[in-house]
Amino acid sequence: MDLTFNDAETAFRDELRAWFDSHEPGPEPRHDEDAHWRWRRDWQRQLGAGGWAGVHWPQEYGGRGATLTQSAIFFEELGRAGAPLPADVLGLLLAGPTLMVWGTDAQKERLLPTILSAEETWCQGFSEPDAGSDLAAVKTRAVKDGDEWVVTGQKVWTSGAQYAKWCMLVARTDPDAPKKHQGLTYFVLDMEQEGVQVRPLRQITGESEFNELFLEGARISDDNVVGGVGNGWKVALTTLMNERAGLAFFLQVRLRQQLDKLIDEAAARGLLDDPVVAEKLGDLHVRVEVLRLTAYRGLTAIEKYGQPGPEGSLTKWMWSDTNQQLVQLAADILGADALVADSPWAYELLRARGNSIEGGTTEILKNIVAERVLGLPRMR
C-alpha cells in the first residue's frame, strides 16, 4: 500500500482545494431541519455546477470519472474544508452506482441526471421493524397486478424519507421461495403517491432524520423493477457494498477535527497534564490514525479485488465506537459547559447514540467480522 499521491492525484487535490477556496455552503442553519436540508441541497447544486457532485461516477453518466484514490481525496478535502455532505448522499453513493450496474437504459436516462442536480432525492427502504438489520427477513410484499406491482408493508429508520422523491425498495415477491434470500425484488418506488405515508421518528436531539415508512397499496410499474424479478438480494448487495466506500474518508477527517478541538479545550482548562485525560486523548489519537489507515487499506482492497471486502465493516464499527468515546470524553472534560443547550458538544453527545444503529448495527458488524474475517462459527 503506497500512500504517496502521484502527479495526477496531486493535481486533482490542488484543483479541488482551489475550488473549495472560492466556493462555500454559507452559514449552517441550526434548529430548523427543513432549512438545513435546503442548505445541503443548495450546496450539492454548487458541487454539481462545478462538476464535483458525482466525482466517482463515469463521465458517460455526468460524473468526473475519478479513480478510487481521487474519490477518497474528494471526501477528505470535503471534510477538511468544513463543508457538509451533499443532501442526496444516498442517491450519489447508493442509488446511482446501483442503477449503473443493474438498471435499464431507460432507468439510467430518467433517474441519474436528477441525482447529480439534486432535483430529486432518494431514501433507502431496506430495514423493517421485525427484521432488524436482517435484510433477507423483509416481509413487505409486492404482488403483481397487470403491468404494475402493489406493495404493502412497513419500513423503518428511513433517513430523509420526508424529502425523497424516490425510494430504493426491497420487497418480497415470492413468499414461497425455499430460502429467505430468494424471492426478493428491488424496486424504484415513487414516494409521491397515495399509499405511501412517512411518519418522522423524533430523536433525542429533537430532530427527525429517521422515519417510519408505511406502504398500503402503493403501486410500482414494471419499468421500475431493477435487476429483474426475484434478483433483489444481489442488487441490494451492490447497494450495501457502496454504502461505506467513500464516507470512511469524510468521517475520519471529521473525527480528527473534533479531536483537535477537544485537545484545545483540554489545554485551555490546563488538563493536558492530567494523566487520565492525557491517556484518553492519546488513545483517541491512535484510534483516529488507525481508522485513517484502515480506510486506505479498504481502498487498496477495492483496487486489488474490484469491490469492498468484509474488512470494511471494521471501519464503520471503529468510527461509531471512537466517536462515542470522543464525545463522552468531551463531556467529562468540559463538564456542565458541554451540556448547555447551545453547546455543539451537547448535540454531538446526543447524536452519537445513533451511530451504533445507522449504516449497519454494531452487533451485525461484529458478526460479519467474526464470521467472514476471523472464520469463527456462525452465531445461532
Side-chain angles (χ1 to χ4, degrees), residues 14-166:
D14 293 344
E15 181 183 356
L16 180 57
R17 284 185 178 179
W19 191 87
F20 280 134
D21 286 342
S22 56
H23 297 78
E24 60 178 32
E28 179 179 1
R30 300 189 65 185
H31 311 302
D32 185 336
E33 284 185 77
D34 292 340
H36 197 272
W37 173 262
R38 291 193 296 271
W39 174 68
R40 288 180 57 196
R41 196 171 188 173
D42 289 343
W43 175 235
Q44 182 174 335
R45 286 170 173 156
Q46 279 199 64
L47 290 168
W52 298 104
V55 292
H56 60 300
W57 285 25
Q59 292 181 351
E60 65 179 297
Y61 299 127
R64 205 176 187 89
T67 65
L68 288 170
T69 299
Q70 289 172 333
S71 298
I73 291 171
F74 170 80
F75 281 103
E76 281 195 323
E77 293 299 323
L78 185 72
R80 188 169 288 115
L85 287 169
D88 191 22
V89 68
L90 295 181
L92 290 168
L93 296 185
L94 306 186
T98 301
L99 290 170
M100 291 175 205
V101 175
W102 296 99
T104 64
D105 289 342
Q107 289 169 348
K108 295 173 187 175
E109 183 177 356
R110 165 66 182 85
L111 299 169
L112 293 181
T114 58
I115 294 176
L116 286 178
S117 66
E119 181 182 348
E120 296 172 338
T121 60
W122 289 68
C123 62
Q124 184 181 11
F126 282 17
S127 298
E128 295 191 1
D130 296 328
S133 297
D134 186 1
L135 176 60
V138 300
K139 295 180 180 176
T140 294
R141 291 281 308 275
V143 178
K144 193 73 185 297
D145 181 23
D147 59 358
E148 292 185 325
W149 295 82
V150 180
V151 185
T152 303
Q154 182 185 350
K155 301 291 179 175
V156 71
W157 310 123
T158 314
S159 303
Q162 67 270 52
Y163 304 112
K165 164 65 176 174
W166 303 108

Side-chain angles (χ1 to χ4, degrees), residues 139-200:
K139 295 180 180 176
T140 294
R141 291 281 308 275
V143 178
K144 193 73 185 297
D145 181 23
D147 59 358
E148 292 185 325
W149 295 82
V150 180
V151 185
T152 303
Q154 182 185 350
K155 301 291 179 175
V156 71
W157 310 123
T158 314
S159 303
Q162 67 270 52
Y163 304 112
K165 164 65 176 174
W166 303 108
C167 176
M168 298 164 267
L169 182 79
V170 174
R172 190 162 297 282
T173 49
D174 181 3
D176 299 322
K179 296 182 180 180
K180 65 180 184 179
H181 299 83
Q182 301 172 342
L184 298 170
T185 299
Y186 192 113
F187 295 96
V188 174
L189 169 73
D190 188 345
M191 297 284 287
E192 298 174 353
Q193 62 168 302
E194 291 186 11
V196 176
Q197 184 180 20
V198 176
R199 296 182 188 171

Side-chain angles (χ1 to χ4, degrees), residues 271-282:
L271 293 174
L272 289 183
D273 292 332
D274 183 310
V276 175
V277 172
E279 180 179 348
K280 290 185 177 180
L281 288 173

Side-chain angles (χ1 to χ4, degrees), residues 245-264:
L247 288 178
F249 294 92
F250 179 84
L251 295 175
Q252 60 91 5
V253 170
R254 283 297 173 90
L255 265 183
R256 165 55 60 190
Q257 292 172 334
Q258 289 286 80
L259 179 57
D260 289 344
K261 289 179 183 176
L262 185 55
I263 292 172
D264 290 342

